[in-house]
Amino acid sequence: MPARDRGSGHRGTLARPARPGWAGRAGPAATSPPRWEGPAVVVEDLRKSYGAVRALRGVDFEVGQGQVLGLLGPNGAGKTTAVRILTTLVVPDGGRALVAGHDVARSPAAVRELIGLAGQATAIQEELTGRENLDIVGRLYHLDPKTRRRRAEELLERLELADAADRPAKGYSGGMQRRLDLALSLLSRPAVLFLDEPTTGLDPRSRLAMWAVIRELVAAGTTLLLTTQYLEEADELADRIVVVDQGRVIAEGTAAELKGRVGGEVIEFQVLDRTQLERAAAALAGLSAHEPSVDPEAAHVRLAVGERGSSSLVETVRRLDAAGIATEGLAVRRPSLDDVFLALTGHGAASSDGPPTPTRPRWGRGH
Amino acid sequence: MRAEVDPLPPVVRAPSVATAARSALADVATLTRRELLVWLRNPSLIFFTFVQPVMFVLLFRYVFGGAIPVRVPGGYVDFLMPGIIAQTSAFASFGTAIALARQVQLGMIDRLRAMPIARSAVLLGRLAADTARLVVTVVLLLGVGYAVGFRFHNGIVPALLLVVLAVAFGAVICTVSGFVGLRIRDEEAVGSFGLVWLFPLTFVSSAFVPVTSMPGWLQAFAKNQPVTIVIDELRALALGGPLQLHAWQSALWLAGIALVFVPLAVRAYRRA
Ligand SMILES: Nc1ncnc2c1ncn2[C@@H]1O[C@H](COP(=O)(O)OP(=O)(O)OP(=O)(O)O)[C@@H](O)[C@H]1O
Ligand SMILES: [Mg+2]
């Protein structure tokens, strides 16, 4: 599958010779082509177990050069395991993984030269300032002092950390720490960048800021594999989405395609009187191209309504009112990971770590 | 169309041995720098690095010292200082184990492992920083010792050798602790485990009392374990007496421990 062409602005960085040769190079040669053919990441039948837990049970996907792939899945789906294998931290039990043309199991050293990683854990040394953290990582990549300083300044500027650059990272907000962590992973100008849940735990404002930063990177042509639990995030940032569940790929496509399978926007509400649940579902029949689905335990109804969210909402209210059904929490919203799971598997995106949390609605199929 | 094109990977030349060694040394230097910067930024860390040993000197010199009969030139304080120095050097390794376990827990080790740096660099950087701290600690302890009456009786060269041996001993114990930290990976467990092996090893030795004052079954262990052997050599260096036997025994022990635990620790790092 051809990668979406994002221009060749960054490609020069892919072509750098091995360390320490490239240490002295000041900047990317903008016109040189990539040095390897084929996708940036190839994953074939990848398997990994931890004792009895089968974290990955035969996963396949590809990321084209310059493409952004979103690996979407609930807790315990195997996202981090996949990233850890691709970044040479864990050796797979079976299957094959290539990053920038190198087999991660056979030539991990070559892979490490070419990748960047930021994610659930942090590389930040809290006692040191932002600038010192960048300096240390620059030294570890054997960048010469001038390059090291120039790139650090660039990144501090771009990630809006310039004002805090000389304060210890201990005092940074969560969002700032994530941005600094991202800066550390970008310092070597990696050919392929891996971001494991880059916005988990951030407040909405910091999340938006992080998205803006990532979007900018992506516009500059960075090949990116990002994992997330949020359909919305994958939608915002990724060209293509691979949905994983319990160590398997259960769907693959663009955000639009996935949302299409869900049926677009979703109307949902709770019926106050459980005995009216069936009647509520019946009242909505034919309202959209999709069947309403009912969760009897939570007295919840949800209905995919395509792109006509607000007009369908009006119609829903009218019909429920006519049928005399009292509801609570009636709303129209954008489809979530849970909706994708419901559409694909018939059950919600319960974590595969253990039993589903009791508060999470267990959805039954509509009738 | 996957995997039809044979990939042409970016050229990553296998470096020559000399280049690899230079590059590894640079990585060790960088990580040493990081460790020392962190240490210097942490006034409380600095404080406690020094307070505990000074406290021990005062405690044993003035509280227990009077009750412990020894036959050395300047009395108990001369007996005590080599022991305290060795014990302090060994206890310094707590910090190594805890810091490395913490870095594994935080995922920092993962991030370093995903970078193109030498596999041994994180451990060796930590050890180099520990060594620098040990030098400062040992010199400081000798200063405190002098203030409370300790004196070298054997000249300047043996005195310098005492510093070297004490620091080498501490660094070697740090390799064991480095392995423990990277292997157990849990800050609290590592702390408790440190107590379990370091306390018996340093107290059931000639550090604070003559081994001959212990019951026979304990003497057998106390006499022959490496901490006693190193302390006896430190004492000989400070106070005079036969040097050679304990010198080569000490060297063998230290080399042996390092040869076993450095590779073990590097392996634990690779699998962290
Ligand atoms: N080191 C490990 N030891 C044992 N089990 C593990 C280990 N790492 C992962 N697992 C298990 O493998 C499965 C997949 O975990 P993984 O971390 O890859 O999921 P994830 O998709 O990243 O989840 P999350 O969204 O919570 O980060 C889980 O059941 C997890 O408990
Ligand atoms: Mg994860």
Side-chain angles (χ1 to χ4, degrees):
Chain A
M1 59 187 53
R4 187 164 111 199
D5 190 12
R6 292 176 176 279
S8 56
H10 75 299
R11 291 285 164 74
T13 55
L14 307 187
R16 70 193 173 207
R19 185 172 82 123
W22 57 271
R25 279 169 50 134
T31 48
S32 52
R35 281 277 181 86
W36 80 93
E37 308 268 338
V41 176
V42 180
V43 168
E44 285 171 0
D45 193 29
L46 207 57
R47 292 159 190 281
K48 178 74 196 174
S49 297
Y50 293 102
V53 181
R54 294 165 73 193
L56 294 178
R57 5 179 151 188
V59 165
D60 297 76
F61 62 79
E62 287 187 7
V63 191
Q65 291 185 30
Q67 206 182 39
V68 180
L69 182 85
L71 207 55
L72 176 69
N75 283 125
K79 306 181 296 293
T80 299
T81 305
V83 168
R84 285 173 63 82
I85 291 173
L86 288 169
T87 53
T88 75
L89 297 177
V90 168
V91 181
D93 298 339
R96 196 164 78 120
L98 301 181
V99 173
H102 294 281
D103 188 310
V104 294
R106 268 184 282 160
S107 25
V111 171
R112 287 182 201 120
E113 298 273 0
L114 299 163
I115 57 168
L117 166 66
Q120 286 180 316
T122 170
I124 299 172
Q125 192 80 56
E126 289 196 318
E127 290 84 353
L128 306 186
T129 67
R131 192 171 269 124
E132 286 168 340
N133 269 293
L134 284 160
D135 181 68
I136 296 286
V137 170
R139 284 167 189 266
L140 288 176
Y141 278 102
H142 297 202
L143 302 176
D144 68 70
K146 245 172 79 188
T147 311
R148 205 157 70 214
R149 266 196 296 278
R150 188 170 42 69
R151 289 194 191 170
E153 292 313 316
E154 260 172 41
L155 286 168
L156 286 167
E157 203 61 53
R158 220 166 94 200
L159 300 187
E160 291 173 22
L161 290 167
D163 292 338
D166 293 314
R167 295 205 322 255
K170 203 174 258 172
Y172 286 15
S173 69
M176 288 164 79
Q177 291 199 348
R178 288 292 175 90
R179 294 206 300 277
L180 176 57
D181 199 38
L182 181 61
L184 297 178
S185 72
L186 291 173
L187 202 62
S188 66
R189 304 223 165 131
V192 185
L193 182 63
F194 296 88
L195 299 179
D196 192 10
E197 301 197 16
T199 67
T200 300
L202 293 185
D203 62 44
R205 211 176 57 96
S206 310
R207 168 168 297 167
L208 287 180
M210 196 69 177
W211 281 359
V213 167
I214 295 174
R215 222 178 273 122
E216 209 181 301
L217 274 177
V218 162
T222 305
T223 302
L224 171 63
L225 189 155
L226 121 142
T227 77
T228 178
Q229 302 192 28
Y230 310 106
L231 179 59
E232 193 192 356
E233 180 159 291
D235 184 10
E236 285 284 338
L237 301 173
D239 303 317
R240 257 176 354 101
I241 299 174
V242 167
V243 184
V244 285
D245 183 33
Q246 305 188 354
R248 283 215 176 82
V249 174
I250 60 169
E252 187 169 350
T254 64
E257 284 165 8
L258 285 179
K259 282 200 262 181
R261 290 175 75 168
V262 173
E265 295 186 321
V266 175
I267 288 178
E268 68 177 353
F269 57 87
Q270 206 161 0
V271 177
L272 285 180
D273 178 358
R274 262 165 214 275
T275 58
Q276 296 184 325
L277 206 54
E278 295 296 308
R279 278 184 50 225
L284 298 184
L287 194 150
S288 83
H290 303 268
E291 297 267 343
S293 60
V294 174
D295 175 14
E297 255 170 74
H300 234 94
V301 177
R302 85 165 110 177
L303 175 65
V305 292
E307 297 309 311
R308 308 184 306 113
S310 40
S311 60
S312 305
L313 185 63
V314 174
E315 176 68 11
T316 303
V317 172
R318 217 181 47 72
R319 289 190 185 191
L320 291 174
D321 195 38
I325 296 165
T327 64
E328 193 175 57
L330 180 67
V332 59
R333 56 172 179 77
R334 295 161 77 180
S336 67
L337 177 63
D338 218 33
D339 299 313
V340 173
F341 268 74
L342 180 61
L344 292 173
T345 66
H347 63 77
S351 133
S352 11
D353 276 335
T357 38
T359 50
R360 190 188 288 282
R362 311 251 63 216
W363 294 93
R365 270 268 183 232
H367 39 197
Chain B
M1 58 180 286
R2 98 176 13 156
E4 280 161 18
V5 249
D6 231 1
L8 289 174
V11 187
V12 177
R13 274 180 266 114
S16 72
V17 175
T19 315
R22 249 202 319 279
S23 150
L25 267 181
D27 295 340
V28 173
T30 301
L31 291 163
T32 308
R33 180 191 171 86
R34 185 188 67 155
E35 294 286 351
L36 288 175
L37 270 176
V38 170
W39 187 64
L40 289 173
R41 285 295 152 72
N42 250 326
S44 65
L45 263 186
I46 301 180
F47 184 72
F48 287 113
T49 306
F50 300 130
V51 155
Q52 183 260 336
V54 170
M55 198 181 72
F56 263 64
V57 171
L58 300 179
L59 200 66
F60 275 91
R61 167 79 176 86
Y62 293 112
V63 180
F64 302 127
I68 303 172
V70 292
R71 265 174 278 134
V72 294
Y76 187 68
V77 69
D78 279 359
F79 179 87
L80 173 70
M81 284 316 296
I84 287 261
I85 286 171
Q87 193 231 23
T88 302
S89 301
F91 275 27
S93 77
F94 263 98
T96 310
I98 290 171
L100 288 174
R102 189 176 146 74
Q103 287 180 18
V104 175
Q105 260 176 325
L106 288 177
M108 195 176 292
I109 297 284
D110 266 358
R111 296 288 296 275
L112 291 167
R113 284 172 62 225
M115 290 180 191
I117 61 180
R119 306 280 88 183
S120 56
V122 170
L123 179 78
L124 295 182
R126 176 74 208 189
L127 289 179
D130 287 335
T131 303
R133 269 190 295 256
L134 280 165
V135 172
V136 179
T137 310
V138 169
V139 169
L140 180 98
L141 267 179
L142 286 171
V144 175
Y146 255 73
V148 298
F150 166 78
R151 293 295 177 266
F152 280 110
H153 297 274
N154 208 10
I156 180 79
V157 175
L160 290 175
L161 285 176
L162 175 141
V163 175
V164 171
L165 176 60
V167 170
F169 170 70
V172 163
I173 298 291
C174 282
T175 67
V176 181
S177 283
F179 167 66
V180 169
L182 289 168
R183 192 60 239 281
I184 297 186
R185 302 166 198 170
D186 178 282
E187 224 179 308
E188 280 176 33
V190 158
S192 318
F193 186 70
L195 290 179
V196 169
W197 72 276
L198 279 173
F199 257 81
L201 217 54
T202 51
F203 279 92
V204 186
S205 76
S206 63
F208 303 105
V209 297
V211 173
T212 47
S213 67
M214 300 177 192
W217 55 272
L218 204 52
Q219 267 190 45
F221 169 77
K223 250 187 212 159
N224 297 302
Q225 62 119 329
V227 177
T228 296
I229 288 167
V230 168
I231 289 173
D232 288 351
E233 177 64 16
L234 291 174
R235 224 164 248 148
L237 285 166
L239 311 176
L243 285 177
Q244 288 208 359
L245 177 66
H246 288 308
W248 70 255
Q249 280 183 344
S250 298
L252 277 182
W253 266 109
L254 297 189
I257 295 171
L259 276 177
V260 171
F261 282 95
V262 170
L264 278 179
V266 171
R267 210 176 67 148
Y269 168 85
R270 298 167 74 120
R271 298 181 176 180

